[in-house]
Amino acid sequence: MKKTLQVDLDSDGLGALAAANLLGHLCANATAHEAQKRVALARYNRSVSRIAHKTERAARKLELCILDETARGIENLPSSNNDEELIDALELVFYAAAEHVDDLKAIARELACMSASNPEKAAARLDDLLKPVRKRISLITNKIKHSQWRLSLVRQGFTLGDVPLVLHGIAVTSLSEERVGIEVLPPDNARVIALPSLLWSVLEFLYLASEALCIHLDPKEQQMSVVGATPVTAFASATAALARLPLYSFEEEHTHLRVRVVVTAAHDEADDKLHSGLY
């Protein structure tokens, strides 16, 4: 059954990430003797904010690239002066997302110590839950760092009715003694992935990792009944930045086929954040 991520911009994403809600309840009122709980909460909030800020930055850069290149015409699509900046921004998103896995395992260890459980076993159990969630992100990040894989931008001119648009994708190239080639990426063996789809998959990863952490912590029903909703401002801001981009896919299965995203904005000011005028 498809999961649903709900992000309300008017309330700064109140309750969008279940782990933020649960950790806020478990850790916010920790005593001086429970300092590790405070560390766990701060670690989670900082990690989510870091990824969200970098994802929003990449989305803003992509929006500017689309505006600039579409204005110059879709007949000829040479590389842009913004290519290097955009690729650098994307790599920083991947590095931050990969580090989120380490942060979550550190949280599992910290909370296990508080309950006299084995911290390494707790981290291993959580990692098993995260493996299907982080597969693409971990693969790309590790290959960029250790196998000299490189991100390359792909462009396609497109006209819908009388509205021209430049669509951007990403390919991952590898270099070895035997060949120079484009790699296929899990989970759908795509060689070219639409950039908006790739960025959405990072927010999907944050959401699914949040669900995995809650499953791992296994709160009692009585605890869940008193857990309040926590705002995730940076996450909501990144969601709004991505919602401004055109939605399409190249060879990949689009992320919204796996997770349904519902973005709400009742106030005019918040609603204006969603409209880029690109399409």
Side-chain angles (χ1 to χ4, degrees), residues 203-220:
L203 295 192
E204 174 199 81
F205 160 72
L206 278 179
Y207 166 68
L208 293 176
S210 163
E211 299 289 299
L213 181 59
C214 287
I215 291 171
H216 168 75
L217 294 176
D218 191 24
K220 294 181 171 53

Side-chain angles (χ1 to χ4, degrees), residues 16-234:
L17 296 180
N21 302 336
L22 181 58
L23 287 172
H25 172 71
L26 294 177
C27 306
N29 297 318
T31 66
H33 299 291
E34 299 174 317
Q36 284 176 300
K37 286 187 177 182
R38 295 180 185 176
V39 171
L41 177 60
R43 188 189 302 278
Y44 183 79
N45 290 338
R46 183 181 63 181
S47 186
V48 168
S49 294
R50 184 165 176 258
I51 300 169
H53 285 311
K54 293 183 186 304
T55 302
E56 180 180 0
R57 179 170 174 263
R60 301 291 184 197
K61 286 186 177 294
L62 177 57
E63 182 179 332
L64 291 175
C65 283
I66 296 172
L67 287 168
D68 176 56
E69 294 169 21
T70 300
R72 288 192 280 127
I74 66 172
E75 294 78 14
N76 299 299
L77 296 174
S79 61
S80 166
N81 295 331
N82 298 319
D83 280 12
E84 188 173 343
E85 286 188 12
L86 182 54
I87 288 174
D88 286 347
L90 290 169
E91 288 185 352
L92 290 175
V93 170
F94 279 113
Y95 292 148
E99 289 167 3
H100 188 58
V101 175
D102 294 332
D103 286 330
L104 293 182
K105 289 193 288 185
I107 289 169
R109 292 187 188 97
E110 287 156 357
L111 296 182
C113 288
M114 294 300 302
S115 61
S117 300
N118 186 305
E120 294 307 319
K121 287 184 178 180
R125 286 196 301 272
L126 177 59
D127 194 42
D128 287 340
L129 293 172
L130 292 172
K131 280 179 181 177
V133 174
R134 63 176 172 84
K135 189 173 183 180
R136 175 184 285 169
I137 287 172
S138 294
L139 173 68
I140 294 176
T141 307
N142 288 333
K143 292 296 186 179
I144 289 174
K145 290 175 68 176
H146 304 299
S147 301
Q148 287 73 54
W149 283 19
R150 293 295 178 261
L151 302 180
S152 299
L153 290 178
V154 177
R155 292 174 172 80
Q156 175 65 55
F158 178 77
T159 302
L160 179 63
D162 59 351
V163 179
L165 201 62
V166 179
L167 306 182
H168 292 71
I170 202 79
V172 182
T173 57
S174 63
L175 174 65
S176 68
E177 293 180 0
E178 294 81 19
R179 73 194 237 320
V180 177
I182 297 177
E183 298 295 332
V184 295
L185 300 172
D188 36 31
N189 294 325
R191 295 172 302 167
V192 180
I193 301 174
L195 264 187
S197 179
L198 188 64
L199 291 172
W200 274 115
S201 73
V202 174
L203 295 192
E204 174 199 81
F205 160 72
L206 278 179
Y207 166 68
L208 293 176
S210 163
E211 299 289 299
L213 181 59
C214 287
I215 291 171
H216 168 75
L217 294 176
D218 191 24
K220 294 181 171 53
E221 187 174 338
Q222 184 179 6
Q223 283 181 307
M224 290 305 298
S225 66
V226 294
V227 170
T230 300
V232 278
T233 305

